[in-house]
Amino acid sequence: MLLKLLFFGLVTYASAAVKLQEVFSWNVLDWNYPDEYLKQESILTGAFIPENALPVGIERWKNKLFVTVPRWRPGIPATLNYIPLDAPHEQSPKLNAYPSYKGNELGNCETGLTTVYRIKADKCDRLWVLDVGTYGYDPNVTNLCPYALNVYDLNTDTRIRRYVFRPEDILPSTFIANIALDEGATCDDTFAYFSDELGYGLIAYSWQENRSWRFSHSYFMPDPLVGDFNIAGLNFQWGAEGIFGITASPVGSDGFRTLYFSPLSSHTEFSVSTRILRDERKVKEGSFNDFKVVGVRGPNGHTTSKVMDDSGVELFNLIDQNSIGCWSSSLPHKPQNIGVVDKDDVGLVFPSDVKIDEDKNVWVISDRMPVFLEAELDYSDINFRIYTAPLYNLIQGTVCEPSSQFIQTSSPMPMSNTRTVGQTPLYGLSLKAPSTPVQTSYFSSFPLNAQKIKSYNPASFSVTPKLAFLDMPRQTSYSDITSNKAGVSFFNKTPWWSKINY
Ligand SMILES: *[C@@H]1O[C@H](CO)[C@@H](O)[C@H](O)[C@H]1NC(C)=O
Ligand SMILES: *[C@@H]1O[C@H](CO)[C@@H](O)[C@H](O)[C@H]1NC(C)=O
């Protein structure tokens, strides 16, 4: 990946998350150890290097919030972890290895886990975890273990299955970071799908048959025209990155779900019926025309993580926009039907994963990943955040809200990069009345947000945080910010955000 440096010039406004509530945040991650002596020893021997840990995936199941940390650098105690949600609230809780430290042993292919990205819990209280087996990061990657699916029984915290992908499923270029589940009528009738970003494939796994197969399709490939990224003041190219975010729809009238997918270097959404994916014969039979183009999100529409709930509303991260987007699958997929449920130019820099739990709460983790990978994180600043909000609160006032849909089915409005206060859809103008935050959620969230605003820019916000909070959101889109470039180097010790002149 080629890194070019640029600088945010004068920026008049920033936005802060309004609906998403920050529940946890960290400058640097930390772990609970059985005792302090072991921890100190791990730090001394380099078995634990806190600054090397970047959280990338989350999942909530009952009283556990799972957090994954890839072993891109040395010193990561465990790649699969959880935070107990029934413990007294701490703003920066230490992570706990799941199911144990031993079960996270680096390079122990049989009973350990080496590197895990995104994970998924199912209705049968199982946690689906793909161990990609790699240690290090491009170009210093070693494949310590084969790609292996590990499934845990969450009620007993035991691993109930390990399945090693067939050699035919994996190419030399394979990189798999995402998983989607396709749950049938029984626990046995469950399929998992895995997107191969750099090998341009989609792997299907049948729980019942304990077997996998691999689809190829040109829709898994990147769009070469949109491989340039501007995130957190960094300009870089992820032009080879193919199929990435995947999620399954509710069960359709034909009894099958639809798998939605997007390449990372792309602004387009595609789909395929799980009727095709569940059938290994379709690999050879020729299923090219069963893969569909769903529509485009619009400019600055790169995404790496998506999830659809039972009502057919899809949420996804918009990594160029520091925001979470939504689309209601009952509407045509086009820019004016894409909404933004929340945006934060500091807190949501690289919202790496988005999940919806059984209680219809949305969970988001942000981690400033491009800064970690392409530059260096500032550990005197908050780098990682976990947010939550009820799904309905998030989509309220957006084009994805169920009751607003009839308004949106006709008269597409012209595209515009300019938004005024309160307008929700990102890429086009909305026919819907401007949304205002609900009073109750405003007051309950205010202390949290006011504190957050103060913490990153005291000069601008300490006097009238309330006003700032009301006026700031959604006044400027990220494309407005990035279009204003000047030539100052990123690499000095001043934190990256302080260069943004509010
Ligand atoms: C790769 O590893 C070598 C040797 O340990 C090191 O010098 C180099 O900086 C590493 N490169 C990256 C990109 O991490
Ligand atoms: C599933 O397949 C794997 C091969 O990767 C094998 O080791 C395992 O025993 C199988 N499990 C079941 C339940 O058949």
Short mmCIF file of all heavy atoms in Angstrom, two decimals, residues 122-152:
data_model
loop_
_atom_site.label_atom_id
_atom_site.label_comp_id
_atom_site.label_asym_id
_atom_site.label_seq_id
_atom_site.Cartn_x
_atom_site.Cartn_y
_atom_site.Cartn_z
N ASP A 122 -24.88 -16.95 16.93
CA ASP A 122 -26.15 -17.34 16.30
C ASP A 122 -27.23 -17.58 17.35
O ASP A 122 -27.00 -17.46 18.55
CB ASP A 122 -25.96 -18.53 15.34
CG ASP A 122 -25.69 -19.84 16.06
OD1 ASP A 122 -25.85 -19.91 17.30
OD2 ASP A 122 -25.30 -20.81 15.37
N LYS A 123 -28.43 -17.91 16.85
CA LYS A 123 -29.58 -18.09 17.74
C LYS A 123 -29.46 -19.35 18.57
O LYS A 123 -30.22 -19.55 19.51
CB LYS A 123 -30.87 -18.12 16.91
CG LYS A 123 -31.20 -16.79 16.27
CD LYS A 123 -32.57 -16.80 15.59
CE LYS A 123 -32.90 -15.43 15.04
NZ LYS A 123 -31.99 -15.04 13.93
N CYS A 124 -28.55 -20.22 18.21
CA CYS A 124 -28.36 -21.47 18.96
C CYS A 124 -27.21 -21.33 19.95
O CYS A 124 -26.61 -22.35 20.35
CB CYS A 124 -28.11 -22.60 17.97
SG CYS A 124 -29.47 -22.80 16.80
N ASP A 125 -26.90 -20.10 20.34
CA ASP A 125 -25.86 -19.82 21.34
C ASP A 125 -24.49 -20.39 20.94
O ASP A 125 -23.74 -20.89 21.77
CB ASP A 125 -26.28 -20.37 22.72
CG ASP A 125 -27.53 -19.68 23.23
OD1 ASP A 125 -27.77 -18.52 22.84
OD2 ASP A 125 -28.26 -20.30 24.03
N ARG A 126 -24.20 -20.27 19.66
CA ARG A 126 -22.86 -20.65 19.18
C ARG A 126 -22.14 -19.39 18.70
O ARG A 126 -22.77 -18.49 18.14
CB ARG A 126 -22.97 -21.63 18.00
CG ARG A 126 -23.58 -22.97 18.37
CD ARG A 126 -23.79 -23.86 17.15
NE ARG A 126 -24.74 -23.30 16.19
CZ ARG A 126 -25.40 -24.00 15.28
NH1 ARG A 126 -25.19 -25.30 15.17
NH2 ARG A 126 -26.23 -23.42 14.45
N LEU A 127 -20.85 -19.35 18.90
CA LEU A 127 -20.03 -18.26 18.38
C LEU A 127 -19.17 -18.81 17.26
O LEU A 127 -18.42 -19.78 17.44
CB LEU A 127 -19.15 -17.68 19.49
CG LEU A 127 -18.33 -16.45 19.10
CD1 LEU A 127 -19.24 -15.25 18.83
CD2 LEU A 127 -17.31 -16.10 20.18
N TRP A 128 -19.29 -18.17 16.08
CA TRP A 128 -18.57 -18.62 14.88
C TRP A 128 -17.33 -17.74 14.70
O TRP A 128 -17.45 -16.51 14.60
CB TRP A 128 -19.46 -18.52 13.66
CG TRP A 128 -20.65 -19.44 13.71
CD1 TRP A 128 -21.71 -19.37 14.58
CD2 TRP A 128 -20.90 -20.58 12.87
NE1 TRP A 128 -22.60 -20.39 14.32
CE2 TRP A 128 -22.12 -21.14 13.27
CE3 TRP A 128 -20.20 -21.16 11.82
CZ2 TRP A 128 -22.67 -22.26 12.65
CZ3 TRP A 128 -20.74 -22.28 11.19
CH2 TRP A 128 -21.96 -22.82 11.61
N VAL A 129 -16.19 -18.40 14.66
CA VAL A 129 -14.91 -17.69 14.68
C VAL A 129 -14.01 -18.29 13.61
O VAL A 129 -13.77 -19.50 13.62
CB VAL A 129 -14.25 -17.85 16.07
CG1 VAL A 129 -12.87 -17.21 16.09
CG2 VAL A 129 -15.14 -17.27 17.17
N LEU A 130 -13.52 -17.46 12.71
CA LEU A 130 -12.55 -17.96 11.72
C LEU A 130 -11.15 -17.57 12.17
O LEU A 130 -10.85 -16.38 12.31
CB LEU A 130 -12.84 -17.37 10.34
CG LEU A 130 -11.85 -17.85 9.26
CD1 LEU A 130 -12.06 -19.33 8.94
CD2 LEU A 130 -11.96 -17.02 7.99
N ASP A 131 -10.31 -18.58 12.40
CA ASP A 131 -8.90 -18.31 12.68
C ASP A 131 -8.17 -18.31 11.34
O ASP A 131 -8.08 -19.35 10.67
CB ASP A 131 -8.33 -19.38 13.61
CG ASP A 131 -6.88 -19.10 13.99
OD1 ASP A 131 -6.37 -18.01 13.61
OD2 ASP A 131 -6.26 -19.95 14.63
N VAL A 132 -7.65 -17.13 10.94
CA VAL A 132 -6.97 -17.06 9.66
C VAL A 132 -5.54 -17.58 9.77
O VAL A 132 -4.86 -17.78 8.76
CB VAL A 132 -6.98 -15.63 9.06
CG1 VAL A 132 -8.42 -15.16 8.88
CG2 VAL A 132 -6.22 -14.64 9.93
N GLY A 133 -5.08 -17.79 10.99
CA GLY A 133 -3.80 -18.46 11.21
C GLY A 133 -2.56 -17.63 10.95
O GLY A 133 -1.44 -18.16 10.98
N THR A 134 -2.74 -16.34 10.67
CA THR A 134 -1.57 -15.52 10.29
C THR A 134 -1.02 -14.72 11.47
O THR A 134 -1.74 -14.36 12.39
CB THR A 134 -1.93 -14.52 9.18
OG1 THR A 134 -3.02 -13.70 9.63
CG2 THR A 134 -2.33 -15.22 7.90
N TYR A 135 0.25 -14.45 11.39
CA TYR A 135 0.94 -13.64 12.37
C TYR A 135 1.73 -12.57 11.61
O TYR A 135 2.50 -12.91 10.72
CB TYR A 135 1.88 -14.53 13.19
CG TYR A 135 2.69 -13.82 14.25
CD1 TYR A 135 2.13 -12.86 15.07
CD2 TYR A 135 4.03 -14.15 14.44
CE1 TYR A 135 2.87 -12.23 16.05
CE2 TYR A 135 4.79 -13.52 15.43
CZ TYR A 135 4.19 -12.57 16.22
OH TYR A 135 4.93 -11.94 17.19
N GLY A 136 1.49 -11.30 11.94
CA GLY A 136 2.18 -10.23 11.23
C GLY A 136 1.26 -9.53 10.25
O GLY A 136 0.08 -9.89 10.13
N TYR A 137 1.80 -8.53 9.59
CA TYR A 137 1.01 -7.74 8.64
C TYR A 137 1.84 -7.50 7.39
O TYR A 137 3.06 -7.39 7.46
CB TYR A 137 0.59 -6.40 9.27
CG TYR A 137 -0.38 -5.63 8.43
CD1 TYR A 137 -1.71 -6.01 8.36
CD2 TYR A 137 0.06 -4.55 7.67
CE1 TYR A 137 -2.60 -5.33 7.55
CE2 TYR A 137 -0.84 -3.85 6.86
CZ TYR A 137 -2.17 -4.25 6.81
OH TYR A 137 -3.05 -3.57 6.01
N ASP A 138 1.16 -7.43 6.27
CA ASP A 138 1.79 -7.22 4.99
C ASP A 138 2.92 -6.17 5.08
O ASP A 138 2.66 -5.08 5.55
CB ASP A 138 0.69 -6.74 4.01
CG ASP A 138 1.19 -6.62 2.60
OD1 ASP A 138 1.91 -7.52 2.17
OD2 ASP A 138 0.86 -5.61 1.95
N PRO A 139 4.13 -6.41 4.62
CA PRO A 139 4.60 -7.61 3.90
C PRO A 139 5.24 -8.65 4.82
O PRO A 139 5.87 -9.58 4.32
CB PRO A 139 5.67 -7.01 2.98
CG PRO A 139 6.28 -5.91 3.79
CD PRO A 139 5.19 -5.37 4.68
N ASN A 140 5.07 -8.53 6.13
CA ASN A 140 5.72 -9.45 7.06
C ASN A 140 4.76 -10.48 7.63
O ASN A 140 4.72 -10.69 8.82
CB ASN A 140 6.33 -8.66 8.23
CG ASN A 140 7.65 -8.02 7.86
OD1 ASN A 140 8.16 -8.26 6.78
ND2 ASN A 140 8.20 -7.25 8.76
N VAL A 141 4.02 -11.14 6.78
CA VAL A 141 3.03 -12.10 7.28
C VAL A 141 3.59 -13.51 7.25
O VAL A 141 4.19 -13.91 6.26
CB VAL A 141 1.75 -12.08 6.42
CG1 VAL A 141 0.64 -12.87 7.09
CG2 VAL A 141 1.29 -10.66 6.17
N THR A 142 3.40 -14.24 8.32
CA THR A 142 3.70 -15.67 8.30
C THR A 142 2.41 -16.43 8.55
O THR A 142 1.61 -16.05 9.40
CB THR A 142 4.74 -16.06 9.36
OG1 THR A 142 4.39 -15.42 10.59
CG2 THR A 142 6.13 -15.63 8.95
N ASN A 143 2.21 -17.52 7.80
CA ASN A 143 1.02 -18.36 7.97
C ASN A 143 1.37 -19.49 8.94
O ASN A 143 1.88 -20.51 8.54
CB ASN A 143 0.58 -18.94 6.63
CG ASN A 143 -0.04 -17.88 5.75
OD1 ASN A 143 0.65 -16.99 5.27
ND2 ASN A 143 -1.34 -17.96 5.55
N LEU A 144 1.09 -19.25 10.21
CA LEU A 144 1.46 -20.26 11.21
C LEU A 144 0.51 -21.44 11.19
O LEU A 144 0.91 -22.56 11.48
CB LEU A 144 1.47 -19.62 12.61
CG LEU A 144 2.47 -18.49 12.84
CD1 LEU A 144 2.39 -17.99 14.27
CD2 LEU A 144 3.89 -18.95 12.53
N CYS A 145 -0.74 -21.19 10.87
CA CYS A 145 -1.76 -22.25 10.91
C CYS A 145 -2.66 -22.12 9.69
O CYS A 145 -2.78 -21.04 9.11
CB CYS A 145 -2.62 -22.13 12.17
SG CYS A 145 -1.69 -22.38 13.70
N PRO A 146 -3.34 -23.21 9.27
CA PRO A 146 -4.28 -23.11 8.15
C PRO A 146 -5.55 -22.36 8.56
O PRO A 146 -5.85 -22.24 9.75
CB PRO A 146 -4.61 -24.59 7.85
CG PRO A 146 -4.42 -25.29 9.15
CD PRO A 146 -3.29 -24.57 9.86
N TYR A 147 -6.27 -21.87 7.56
CA TYR A 147 -7.58 -21.25 7.84
C TYR A 147 -8.48 -22.29 8.48
O TYR A 147 -8.69 -23.37 7.91
CB TYR A 147 -8.23 -20.78 6.54
CG TYR A 147 -7.76 -19.43 6.07
CD1 TYR A 147 -6.59 -19.28 5.33
CD2 TYR A 147 -8.49 -18.29 6.39
CE1 TYR A 147 -6.16 -18.03 4.91
CE2 TYR A 147 -8.07 -17.04 5.97
CZ TYR A 147 -6.91 -16.92 5.24
OH TYR A 147 -6.49 -15.69 4.84
N ALA A 148 -9.01 -21.98 9.67
CA ALA A 148 -9.86 -22.96 10.35
C ALA A 148 -11.02 -22.27 11.03
O ALA A 148 -10.84 -21.28 11.74
CB ALA A 148 -9.03 -23.75 11.37
N LEU A 149 -12.21 -22.82 10.79
CA LEU A 149 -13.41 -22.33 11.46
C LEU A 149 -13.48 -22.97 12.84
O LEU A 149 -13.32 -24.19 12.97
CB LEU A 149 -14.63 -22.71 10.62
CG LEU A 149 -16.00 -22.44 11.25
CD1 LEU A 149 -16.25 -20.95 11.42
CD2 LEU A 149 -17.10 -23.09 10.40
N ASN A 150 -13.68 -22.14 13.87
CA ASN A 150 -13.85 -22.64 15.24
C ASN A 150 -15.22 -22.19 15.72
O ASN A 150 -15.55 -21.01 15.62
CB ASN A 150 -12.78 -22.03 16.16
CG ASN A 150 -11.39 -22.56 15.87
OD1 ASN A 150 -10.88 -23.41 16.59
ND2 ASN A 150 -10.78 -22.08 14.79
N VAL A 151 -16.00 -23.12 16.22
CA VAL A 151 -17.33 -22.78 16.71
C VAL A 151 -17.39 -23.14 18.20
O VAL A 151 -16.98 -24.24 18.59
CB VAL A 151 -18.44 -23.50 15.92
CG1 VAL A 151 -19.82 -23.05 16.41
CG2 VAL A 151 -18.29 -23.21 14.42
N TYR A 152 -17.88 -22.17 19.00
CA TYR A 152 -17.91 -22.35 20.46
C TYR A 152 -19.36 -22.43 20.93
O TYR A 152 -20.23 -21.73 20.41
CB TYR A 152 -17.23 -21.16 21.16
CG TYR A 152 -15.77 -21.04 20.80
CD1 TYR A 152 -15.39 -20.39 19.62
CD2 TYR A 152 -14.78 -21.60 21.60
CE1 TYR A 152 -14.06 -20.31 19.26
CE2 TYR A 152 -13.44 -21.52 21.24
CZ TYR A 152 -13.09 -20.87 20.07
OH TYR A 152 -11.77 -20.79 19.71
#
